[in-house]
Amino acid sequence: MKNLSLFAALAAFAIASPVAAEDDATSQNPITDRATLESDVRTLADDAMEGREAGTPGYDMAADFVANRFHSLGLQPGGDDGTWFQNFSLVRHSAADDAGLSIVGADGARMKAIYGHDFVGGGLASAGDADGRGRVNAEMVFVGYGLDMPELGHDSFAGVDLQGKVAVWVFDMPEGMDPLLAMHMQQAGADRFAAQGAVGSILLWTPELSLLVNWTRGRNFFGRTSSTTWVGPDGVAHDGAGDMEFQLVASPEMSRQIMAGQAFDMDAIALAQANEMASMPSFEMGARARVSYANQREPLLDTSNVIAIQPGTDPAFADQYVVVSAHLDHVGVEPGHGEDNDRLFNGAMDNASGVATMMEMARLIAAEPTRRPVMFVALGAEEMGLLGSSYHAANPGLTDGHLAVNVNVDMPILTWPFSDVVAFGADRSNIFPQVSAAVGEYDLKLVPDPNPDEGFFFRSDQYSYVQAGIPAVYVDLGFGNGGEAAQEDFLGAHYHQPSDEAFRIDYEQLGRFADIAYLVARNVGNMDDRPAWLAGDFFGDTFGGPVVGQD
Ligand SMILES: [Zn+2]
């Protein structure tokens, strides 16, 4: 390397103020192989892979590349029927707009609602007969905010029985609620009612909700319920909502009518909501909902996860699999922009970098196995809504154990000499000391999520495992040493753009990141205790799984 001129060196010194962290960091001995990481990213992000979109030949080519690597590392296949591939199908589900709703009041009076005017919504993806059609005639139960958070003063399901009934509810979030939990509660919904045995739900459009979103916009949003989901080995489309069949949203006028004559009517609801979410009673309404729906489900595409297994060394932990995951898919090609206009989304940072990291982790762990077995998974269809991980968490394909903990890597932004590390989710379980020790071993700082409003914890595959009750960590980088500006720049200019290309990555930084990710997985694979949620953790309480101190 050529020497810097004196002026250039002085200028560099003046600009790069916190040099200490950088010096410390680069003094570490490399663990992962930088050249392999770079060549793997360049291969996966090559135009030949056509942006690795689920269901395309480009994705399948990338999947073959990963499978070949797993094979050459001497790992065992962990896919279907002794292969490297776990195949699954995706369907597009839409709730056709000929859903019907009528309410039969306690006095026997019947009120018929008109789709699009009085209500929108429809059947959930798994609901209905083979043609997607179904009918429900069930009692209605008012459950207020529909929250099971007694610690925040909302225990909406206490004292009422929702089994086989329809939950009538109001959307709101307690003030000062942890933004991460609020985001989860907003994304969830159906599964809270499903857990209580409800068959359907009707959301009331309250005056408070109208202040946030007017009904016209709400109707358009909820009226176009189309989603993509996977089909299980049993042929049933996945919606994560158990026996719930439908979700409806009532107009402001319809909401008022539904609650008319009830002891706690729309005026009482509005007053409670306006008064900092004052508590609401939950009660049987004495009324019934008659609902019909007609789902449409169209086959969309077939894709795969690529899975390999490295057995562990300690028979006592043989059934506790560590899942090391990185999504392999990206968003493909956008056609029709002329010859010179590159609309091919190479996805170098997102997430060729993560897959390259995962393959280096596999090489190192194959060479020096941990006490626990490790499953390495290149996940499909992440960009379509975490679908490959959701499928894998529900269908791990293990006959001799279970998924015990997840270490996920997705789109580390590798453009500057980072000085700190974020371990999303690690502080929720007993893996935290292991993660912290790994980062400390590298002489770097572990810092809390600097950007909780972005909700990164919910936006990558670890969340699928968390929803299956599996403690998880998503390893990423912090804001130190210029990281905030560097991350903002990438997210603003290159994230999900054709310009997310291999040349943008600083491969020494990818190497440092991969070293740390490896140390995290190694420590978790070797830890003495069974991975478990901390007692009282929200996700442990919500999704189940082992809890520290409980057997
Ligand atoms: Zn992405």
Side-chain angles (χ1 to χ4, degrees):
M1 189 171 66
K2 157 178 172 301
N3 283 328
L4 288 175
S5 78
L6 180 63
F7 287 120
L10 284 174
F13 186 72
I15 295 164
S17 33
V19 290
E22 197 179 334
D23 283 354
D24 280 346
T26 46
S27 69
Q28 281 295 324
N29 288 326
I31 304 170
T32 55
D33 187 80
R34 274 49 172 167
T36 303
L37 288 166
E38 175 163 359
S39 97
D40 287 348
V41 169
R42 290 187 182 279
T43 300
L44 291 167
D46 194 276
D47 284 359
M49 301 274 182
E50 296 173 331
R52 308 187 304 278
E53 188 177 7
T56 67
Y59 178 82
D60 295 339
M61 193 188 296
D64 284 340
F65 176 75
V66 173
N68 279 326
R69 176 64 53 82
F70 285 159
H71 179 78
S72 71
L73 293 174
L75 298 164
Q76 298 176 0
D80 303 333
D81 309 318
T83 71
W84 302 101
F85 304 100
Q86 177 179 52
N87 299 305
F88 56 95
S89 302
L90 303 182
V91 290
R92 197 193 309 278
H93 161 254
S94 50
D97 58 11
D98 50 353
L101 167 67
S102 58
I103 307 285
V104 182
D107 56 0
R110 184 169 163 157
M111 171 171 55
K112 193 164 166 32
I114 297 167
Y115 188 90
H117 183 264
D118 299 323
F119 77 103
V120 290
L124 291 162
S126 67
D129 61 18
D131 295 327
R133 293 180 175 275
R135 281 179 183 281
V136 173
N137 180 345
E139 288 174 42
M140 296 158 74
V141 178
F142 181 73
V143 292
Y145 304 105
L147 295 172
D148 48 352
M149 311 186 84
E151 66 284 5
L152 292 174
H154 297 292
D155 199 358
S156 307
F157 306 126
V160 289
D161 176 14
L162 270 179
Q163 195 68 44
K165 298 177 186 165
V166 177
V168 176
W169 68 295
V170 165
F171 176 85
D172 215 333
M173 286 292 145
E175 198 122 330
M177 186 178 185
D178 178 337
L180 285 185
L181 301 194
M183 210 165 299
H184 161 77
M185 297 307 281
Q186 287 163 18
Q187 288 186 2
D191 55 1
R192 293 203 291 283
F193 304 127
Q196 302 293 323
V199 290
S201 69
I202 301 176
L203 172 67
L204 302 176
W205 208 273
T206 62
E208 186 90 357
L209 189 51
S210 291
L211 294 177
L212 282 177
V213 189
N214 71 42
W215 165 243
T216 309
R217 277 188 57 206
R219 180 181 61 193
N220 291 340
F221 178 77
F222 290 106
R224 282 197 208 101
T225 43
S226 155
S227 61
T228 301
T229 189
W230 50 264
V231 182
D234 55 2
V236 175
H238 170 76
D239 56 31
D243 293 333
M244 279 271 286
E245 292 191 52
F246 64 86
Q247 276 181 300
L248 304 180
V249 181
S251 72
E253 179 51 31
M254 185 75 197
S255 300
R256 189 163 279 281
Q257 287 182 35
I258 288 173
M259 297 309 293
Q262 297 289 339
F264 200 79
D265 64 6
M266 188 51 80
D267 291 334
I269 292 172
L271 193 64
Q273 273 194 294
N275 190 14
E276 288 177 20
M277 269 184 93
S279 66
M280 293 187 195
S282 297
F283 54 88
E284 307 269 347
M285 293 172 62
R288 300 182 75 84
R290 292 183 178 191
V291 175
S292 62
Y293 57 85
N295 282 325
Q296 287 174 0
R297 292 184 288 250
E298 305 157 53
L300 192 64
L301 56 89
D302 296 323
T303 188
S304 62
N305 297 321
V306 192
I307 308 180
I309 291 170
Q310 170 59 52
T313 58
D314 189 337
F317 294 150
D319 62 341
Q320 296 176 21
Y321 283 76
V322 178
V323 192
V324 174
S325 57
H327 79 83
L328 177 61
D329 69 303
H330 192 52
V331 297
V333 180
E334 189 182 301
H337 284 260
E339 234 170 74
D340 301 332
N341 197 345
D342 178 6
R343 298 301 292 173
L344 192 152
F345 294 74
N346 301 82
M349 216 78 83
D350 185 11
N351 183 32
S353 65
V355 175
T357 297
M358 184 267 290
M359 292 193 296
E360 267 298 275
M361 292 162 80
R363 180 180 67 80
L364 291 160
I365 289 173
E368 196 173 329
T370 53
R371 296 169 73 190
R372 288 182 179 76
V374 182
M375 199 173 218
F376 298 95
V377 190
L379 292 162
E382 188 268 358
E383 303 283 12
M384 303 179 87
L386 315 184
L387 296 176
S389 52
S390 164
Y391 185 88
H392 182 243
N395 303 282
L398 291 168
T399 52
D400 60 348
H402 60 275
L403 306 181
V405 58
N406 171 232
V407 178
N408 186 44
V409 285
D410 183 7
M411 201 181 81
I413 295 171
L414 304 154
T415 55
W416 86 104
F418 62 89
S419 62
D420 48 20
V421 173
V422 180
F424 294 96
D427 54 353
R428 298 177 169 281
S429 71
N430 63 352
I431 69 172
F432 184 80
Q434 310 300 324
V435 175
S436 175
V439 176
E441 185 175 337
Y442 217 67
D443 276 338
L444 289 182
K445 264 196 318 232
L446 189 59
V447 295
D449 180 356
N451 213 357
D453 292 341
E454 280 278 353
F456 286 127
F457 189 64
F458 301 96
R459 289 167 53 181
S460 188
D461 293 303
Q462 71 281 341
Y463 190 52
S464 293
Y465 295 103
V466 167
Q467 286 177 293
I470 300 163
V473 55
Y474 166 33
V475 186
D476 202 358
L477 305 176
F479 277 180
N481 203 29
E484 181 168 14
Q487 294 194 36
E488 265 173 25
D489 175 67
F490 179 84
L491 291 172
H494 310 299
Y495 170 69
H496 280 205
Q497 296 296 326
S499 58
D500 176 6
E501 295 190 69
F503 73 81
R504 225 169 274 289
I505 294 178
D506 174 337
Y507 288 95
E508 177 52 26
Q509 302 312 318
L510 172 55
R512 295 174 66 220
F513 171 79
D515 290 351
I516 293 162
Y518 161 71
L519 293 173
V520 167
R522 182 204 65 185
N523 285 6
V524 168
N526 286 332
M527 65 192 269
D528 290 331
D529 295 320
R530 175 189 187 196
W533 298 103
L534 297 185
D537 181 74
F538 173 77
F539 290 120
D541 285 352
T542 304
F543 300 122
V547 175
V548 171
Q550 295 172 20
D551 272 326

